[in-house]
Amino acid sequence: MRVLVTGSSAGIGRATAGLFLERGHEVAGFDVQAATLDHPSYTHHVVDVRCPQDFPRDIKPEIIINNAGVQDSGDDLGVNLHGTINVTEFYAFGGRSSGDMGTGTSALPTKPAPQVRAVVNVGSASGHTGSEFPEYAASKGVVIAYTKNVAGRLAPQATCNSIDPGGVLTPLNQCVMDDPKLWGRIMDLTPMRRWATPEEIAEWIYFVAVANRFMTGQNLLIDGGEAGRSEFVWPEE
């Protein structure tokens, strides 16, 4: 299948693009950075997801993976939220970008592009718990809600779900991974006592996009149990 992966030059995006390539799919990658993958079935586009006017118009993805994201960047809403909307509306519906929404110029398209099979948004545990930086948590929370919006508009032709990771071993998180004190505090909050690898999250994305054909509008929290951590308090006998 033809797959579009945004944020494909590092972290979860790179692992996801690599997994789809390994399993025989044709992948187009979007990133503001240069390509870090070299494969005959991979095409890289240096694209900012905030700028739909620059999106290539000659690709018709069957699967769309919205992974491009930033953290505490000064424009988390622009990249994480509006970027996800821009890519989805452009390639899944052939519609307007997020900047055009609310202008009253026309209704949102209701019919998906005929080739679309699945959309997977990469959210975050922060969208469930509200933790982390304010704009980051807000951006991911709205991505979770937008996933449900898209699922309703794509059905019954296609599915849309989000994969919402907790801690992942990526360069973005290196500052806490390299600090023994902070890392210890994080592990105390994580029942599985580790973080996920990008490759593990890629496997979830692949399953939801390819194997799954019935679940839609769901937000899968993949956080090693951190958000649901609780302790039963009771008197000792």
Side-chain angles (χ1 to χ4, degrees):
M1 286 183 284
R2 298 183 304 278
V3 184
L4 171 60
V5 180
T6 70
S8 59
S9 289
I12 293 170
R14 187 182 192 282
T16 300
L19 181 61
F20 275 92
L21 290 167
E22 177 186 315
R23 296 185 179 174
H25 301 281
E26 179 183 333
V27 178
F30 282 10
D31 207 292
V32 294
Q33 304 295 328
T36 58
L37 289 167
D38 183 12
H39 191 283
S41 295
Y42 179 72
T43 304
H44 190 77
H45 303 268
V46 177
V47 171
D48 188 329
V49 293
R50 295 172 296 182
C51 303
Q53 67 273 15
D54 297 332
F55 291 175
R57 298 177 180 275
D58 59 347
I59 62 173
K60 297 185 181 298
E62 297 164 84
I63 294 174
I64 300 167
I65 312 296
N66 285 304
N67 166 76
V70 293
Q71 185 182 63
D72 196 30
S73 68
D75 197 16
D76 289 16
L77 289 167
V79 177
N80 302 348
L81 172 59
H82 296 300
T84 295
I85 294 173
N86 289 341
V87 171
T88 304
E89 297 301 324
F90 193 94
Y91 289 108
F93 296 102
R96 296 176 292 160
S97 70
S98 62
D100 297 324
M101 304 214 179
T103 62
T105 55
S106 62
L108 281 172
T110 57
K111 292 184 179 180
Q115 80 280 356
V116 174
R117 171 189 173 103
V119 175
V120 182
N121 298 324
V122 178
S124 171
S126 298
H128 295 258
T129 65
S131 63
E132 289 195 54
F133 306 100
E135 279 201 5
Y136 181 80
S139 70
K140 293 299 189 177
V142 184
V143 165
I144 287 170
Y146 178 63
T147 296
K148 297 180 184 299
N149 172 276
V150 173
R153 293 160 62 207
L154 284 177
Q157 175 182 314
T159 63
C160 180
N161 298 283
S162 71
I163 296 297
D164 306 332
V168 183
L169 300 171
T170 68
L172 193 66
N173 295 314
Q174 204 68 47
C175 59
V176 294
M177 291 159 52
D178 290 342
D179 186 315
K181 185 176 181 179
L182 292 178
W183 188 247
R185 287 172 59 189
I186 290 169
M187 289 299 100
D188 286 343
L189 294 170
T190 308
M192 291 300 290
R193 295 294 187 268
R194 69 179 183 87
W195 273 3
T197 65
E199 290 74 22
E200 285 180 291
I201 303 303
E203 289 281 3
W204 278 101
I205 292 169
Y206 189 92
F207 171 79
V208 168
V210 178
N212 165 59
R213 297 305 304 137
F214 191 62
M215 178 182 69
T216 195
Q218 300 304 303
N219 311 114
L220 303 186
L221 182 60
I222 316 295
D223 73 340
E226 182 180 349
R229 186 176 184 272
S230 62
E231 296 182 7
F232 181 59
V233 179
W234 199 252
E236 294 183 9
E237 295 183 0

